[in-house]
Each structure stands twice: as structure tokens, then as C-alpha cells.
């Protein structure tokens, strides 16, 4: 029923980390994020895991003695988190100098290398060339090598209640909990010649469309469609609540606006899950279609979607109202917004 669990901040060894935690529903700690109505459960079968091939995601290897310091200055998260054995994966954004998101990424520590000397960077496949250019611009004289890894593939493993049993651990390049939320399960990196059924016990392949529907149901953005480069603001995109940013790590590109917004505590719009009234689907909407209240007030923009599910950048002041949007053929569609309690405050 709940979607994402938030902890505002925890001090670990003198550092402040903002992170998702694995809190069981019965913990009673009162910090689980819940929507105002039931959400679709994880697309799985009882007792069985589903492995989704994420062909829309690509991998880049960054290796060398300056890897940690190089990435520390261009990502929102703290690279030192990868030093922790239980955190082989971190989530982050790369920003432009105006503080807007360019790329959403995952970083995986490599088993054969020191956590800060060798990583795999996961990104949207459509912007692989752009991210390679971006990295090389800031590489300067750093002792790092940067190369794409077309021989590797990324898989999502759901549900995420416990770590998958590995039949052949040596065949998994990386396996780690998705750092954004426990409801996104686990991330698995394999060589292209390997099949997940030979690595993960009790699993079968799933349709990636179900993976995307699951994302939209819980309000989790991924890739350039959900996070348009140079347009999306990281805090409006809920980066804090997806364990994607450190406010204590020091300077990085785009930090100034992001830190100032965070410390003022004023974020008037948020990405939130939307559900369209039947028989309409997200395919009937133009990119960035404006949302309005039934009284005609601007309420945000539709960002992306699949079927009747989607994401919208919604003004929090109108998030509990029934909203409307016009389709490409000028029909008016009503939308229901799923409002997390934390966002609604």
C-alpha cells in the first residue's frame, strides 16, 4: 500500500546521509510514505522473482586511481557511500551549472576493484554518447579511463523483500538493492551471454512494460522522458527521497541552486503518480501537456506515462484536487493524483 519510506537524515561516522531504509510495514515508526489510496502491488507471483531486461539502460565503465575524486565533483551523491560493503549501488543525478538535471544515473562498485577506483555507471541508453562527452569534458588530467560496455546488460529483479538467492555468484557482475526504494527490488548486471535464470534462483523473465507500469504506480522517474535534460529540477523530481543526494559532501556542479532550495525548504511542485480516467491513455497526451484544476487554475504538467498511468509535475497546493488535461484531439480528461503524505504537508 505504501510506496516509499523516507528518513530525513542520519549521521553515520560524522557524515549525513539521506537514504531509503528497509523498514518493514509493521515497524510502527510512522515514517512510511503512503498514498491517499491503494496502489498496484509489485508485479510478481508468490514465491517467484521476476527479472526484467532493461534494454533502455546502458553501462559505462570508469576506472583509475582518480575515479572517486573525479565523480565526486560532478554528481549529487557522495561517492564515499560506495566504500560501505552493504552499498554496492548508489543513485545520483548529474546537473548542469544552472542546477537542472542532465542525467539520472546508478553507480555500481566493481568486485575486482577498490570501490572508488572502478565503477560502472548506468544511464539512459539514448544519451550514452552525451554522457561520454560530458564525462570527458570534466576529466581534464584525471587518471581515469572511460569506456562504454555494450557487452553488459542491466536487469531489475522484483520483488525486493529479501536478497535473491544466487545460483552462480561468479556469473553476476554486480547484484545490489535498488537504492531508490525497496519497492524497486534489486539491480543485476550480467554479461550479455548470461541468462538471469542461470544466476537467480526461482526467477523468470518479465515484460519490461510491467516494470515501467510498476514505476509509474509508485511515482518513480527514470530516464530522459521522465526527467528531461536541462529542464527537470532535482528536488522537484524527489531526488532527496530517492537517496540520490548528499548535502554534506562539498561542492559539485549545480550545487548552489540545489542547496539553496533545500535549505529554504520551499518546493512548490513535485513529481507525482497520475491515473487517467478511461478510456484515455498517456498516448493521447502531448509531451508537457498542462494540467488544470476544474476551476481552470494551472496545476502543473503531464510528464510521461504508459496506459492509464503516468507522472506529472504537480503543484502541491492542488495535488489533492481532481485535475484535468486536454488530449491531442482536444478532449478533456480527468486525472487522479496519488499524494504521498510527506509531500502533501
Amino acid at each position: 500500500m505504501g510506496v516509499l519510506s523516507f528518513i530525513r537524515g542520519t549521521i553515520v561516522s560524522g557524515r549525513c546521509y539521506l537514504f531509503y531504509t528497509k523498514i518493514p510495514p509493521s515497524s510502527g515508526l510512522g515514517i512510511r510514505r503512503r498514498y491517499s489510496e491503494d496502489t498496484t502491488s509489485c508485479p510478481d507471483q508468490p514465491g517467484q522473482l521476476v527479472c526484467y531486461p532493461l534494454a533502455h539502460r546502458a553501462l559505462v565503465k570508469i576506472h583509475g586511481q582518480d575515479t572517486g575524486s573525479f565523480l565526486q565533483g560532478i554528481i549529487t551523491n557522495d561517492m564515499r557511500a560506495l566504500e560501505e560493503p552493504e552499498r554496492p549501488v548508489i543513485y545520483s543525478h548529474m546537473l548542469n551549472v544552472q542546477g537542472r538535471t542532465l542525467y539520472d544515473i546508478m553507480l555500481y562498485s566493481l568486485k575486482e576493484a577498490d570501490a572508488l577506483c572502478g565503477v560502472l555507471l548506468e544511464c539512459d541508453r539514448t544519451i550514452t554518447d552525451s554522457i561520454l562527452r560530458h564525462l570527458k569534458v570534466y576529466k581534464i588530467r584525471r587518471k581515469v579511463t572511460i569506456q562504454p560496455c555494450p557487452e553488459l546488460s542491466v536487469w531489475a529483479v522484483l520483488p525486493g523483500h529479501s536478497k535473491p538467492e544466487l545460483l552462480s555468484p561468479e556469473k553476476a557482475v554486480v547484484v545490489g538493492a535498488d537504492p531508490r526504494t525497496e519497492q524497486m527490488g534489486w539491480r543485476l548486471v550480467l554479461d550479455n551471454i548470461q541468462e538471469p535464470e542461470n544466476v537467480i534462483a526461482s526467477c523468470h523473465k518479465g515484460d519490461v512494460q510491467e516494470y515501467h507500469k510498476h514505476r509509474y504506480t509508485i511515482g518513480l522517474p527514470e530516464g530522459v522522458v521522465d526527467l528531461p535534460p536541462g529542464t527537470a529540477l532535482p528536488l522537484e523530481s524527489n531526488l532527496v527521497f530517492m537517496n540520490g543526494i548528499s548535502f554534506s559532501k562539498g561542492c559539485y556542479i549545480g550545487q548552489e541552486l540545489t542547496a539553496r532550495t533545500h535549505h529554504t525548504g520551499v518546493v512548490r511542485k513535485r513529481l507525482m503518480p497520475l491515473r487517467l480516467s478511461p478510456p484515455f491513455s498517456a498516448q493521447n497526451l502531448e509531451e508537457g501537456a498542462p494540467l488544470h484544476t476544474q476551476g481552470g487554475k494551472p496545476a502543473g504538467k503531464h510528464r510521461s506515462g504508459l496506459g492509464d498511468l503516468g507522472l506529472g509535475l504537480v503543484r502541491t497546493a492542488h495535488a489533492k484536487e481532481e485535475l484535468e488535461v486536454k488530449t491531442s484531439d482536444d478532449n478533456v480528461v480527468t486525472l487522479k493524483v496519488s499524494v504521498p503524505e510527506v509531500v502533501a504537508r
Side-chain angles (χ1 to χ4, degrees):
M1 179 174 175
V3 286
L4 302 175
S5 301
F6 302 153
I7 287 187
R8 285 290 182 182
T10 297
I11 302 297
V12 181
S13 300
R15 297 179 231 153
C16 179
Y17 293 103
L18 295 164
F19 60 95
Y20 282 118
T21 185
K22 307 288 184 181
I23 299 175
S26 59
S27 64
L29 295 180
I31 55 176
R32 290 188 63 83
R33 166 175 157 179
R34 289 184 172 84
Y35 283 139
S36 55
E37 57 185 69
D38 289 347
T39 56
T40 303
S41 61
C42 181
D44 67 307
Q45 297 177 9
Q48 192 167 35
L49 297 173
V50 185
C51 295
Y52 296 94
L54 306 185
H56 61 287
R57 306 293 284 180
L59 291 162
V60 173
K61 184 176 182 181
I62 305 170
H63 188 268
Q65 67 184 60
D66 292 338
T67 297
S69 58
F70 166 53
L71 290 174
Q72 188 77 328
I74 60 175
I75 69 170
T76 58
N77 215 333
D78 193 334
M79 281 292 294
R80 293 171 295 182
L82 287 177
E83 294 176 340
E84 302 171 29
E86 69 278 10
R87 295 186 71 189
V89 192
I90 63 172
Y91 176 67
S92 187
H93 284 192
M94 290 182 174
L95 311 181
N96 62 18
V97 294
Q98 289 80 33
R100 294 183 180 270
T101 294
L102 289 176
Y103 317 111
D104 66 308
I105 62 172
M106 297 268 199
L107 290 168
Y108 303 87
S109 59
L110 294 173
K111 289 186 291 187
E112 73 277 8
D114 182 279
L116 298 186
C117 289
V119 300
L120 288 174
L121 183 153
E122 177 197 318
C123 63
D124 190 306
R125 182 173 294 279
T126 62
I127 49 86
T128 305
D129 290 342
S130 297
I131 207 167
L132 287 171
R133 288 193 297 270
H134 182 77
L135 291 169
K136 288 172 182 176
V137 164
Y138 292 101
K139 175 184 173 183
I140 313 177
R141 294 183 179 87
R142 304 275 190 176
K143 294 181 180 179
V144 295
T145 58
I146 303 167
Q147 60 189 78
C149 297
E151 73 279 6
L152 299 178
S153 56
V154 183
W155 298 77
V157 184
L158 292 168
H161 309 310
S162 58
K163 186 173 182 178
E165 178 187 351
L166 299 181
L167 300 172
S168 304
E170 72 282 357
K171 294 180 180 178
V173 179
V174 181
V175 59
D178 190 312
R180 298 170 294 183
T181 168
E182 63 180 1
Q183 293 204 24
M184 289 305 295
W186 299 77
R187 254 347 196 229
L188 174 68
V189 178
L190 296 176
D191 191 286
N192 288 337
I193 63 173
Q194 300 293 341
E195 293 293 333
E197 298 97 327
N198 299 328
V199 180
I200 303 290
S202 302
C203 85
H204 68 275
K205 290 182 184 177
D207 185 345
V208 72
Q209 297 288 78
E210 294 302 317
Y211 168 84
H212 290 305
K213 288 179 181 178
H214 178 58
R215 283 198 305 107
Y216 287 133
T217 298
I218 66 173
L220 192 139
E222 184 176 275
V224 297
V225 176
D226 299 342
L227 301 166
T231 299
L233 287 167
L235 300 190
E236 290 183 349
S237 304
N238 300 324
L239 185 61
V240 172
F241 303 133
M242 292 190 293
N243 186 27
I245 190 167
S246 167
F247 293 105
S248 62
K249 59 172 276 186
C251 296
Y252 57 89
I253 296 168
Q255 178 204 21
E256 185 177 355
L257 174 64
T258 306
R260 185 166 65 246
T261 302
H262 169 71
H263 291 299
T264 61
V266 180
V267 180
R268 294 186 173 87
K269 292 179 285 185
R270 296 276 189 184
L271 274 183
M272 299 186 195
L274 304 176
R275 188 179 292 272
L276 282 70
S277 60
F280 300 101
S281 71
Q283 286 71 23
N284 298 119
L285 303 180
E286 295 181 351
E287 183 178 347
L291 309 179
H292 294 89
T293 66
Q294 291 186 321
K297 294 181 179 179
K301 293 182 179 180
H302 184 266
R303 182 63 63 77
S304 57
L306 182 65
D308 65 340
L309 301 171
L311 290 176
L313 187 63
V314 180
R315 293 181 182 273
T316 56
H318 300 301
K320 292 188 176 182
E321 301 177 38
E322 191 168 78
L323 303 181
E324 296 180 343
V325 63
K326 282 190 176 182
T327 65
S328 52
D329 52 3
D330 223 30
N331 288 308
V332 176
V333 183
T334 57
L335 298 168
K336 286 188 177 181
V337 183
S338 297
V339 186
E341 291 177 2
V342 172
V343 172
R345 291 173 185 166

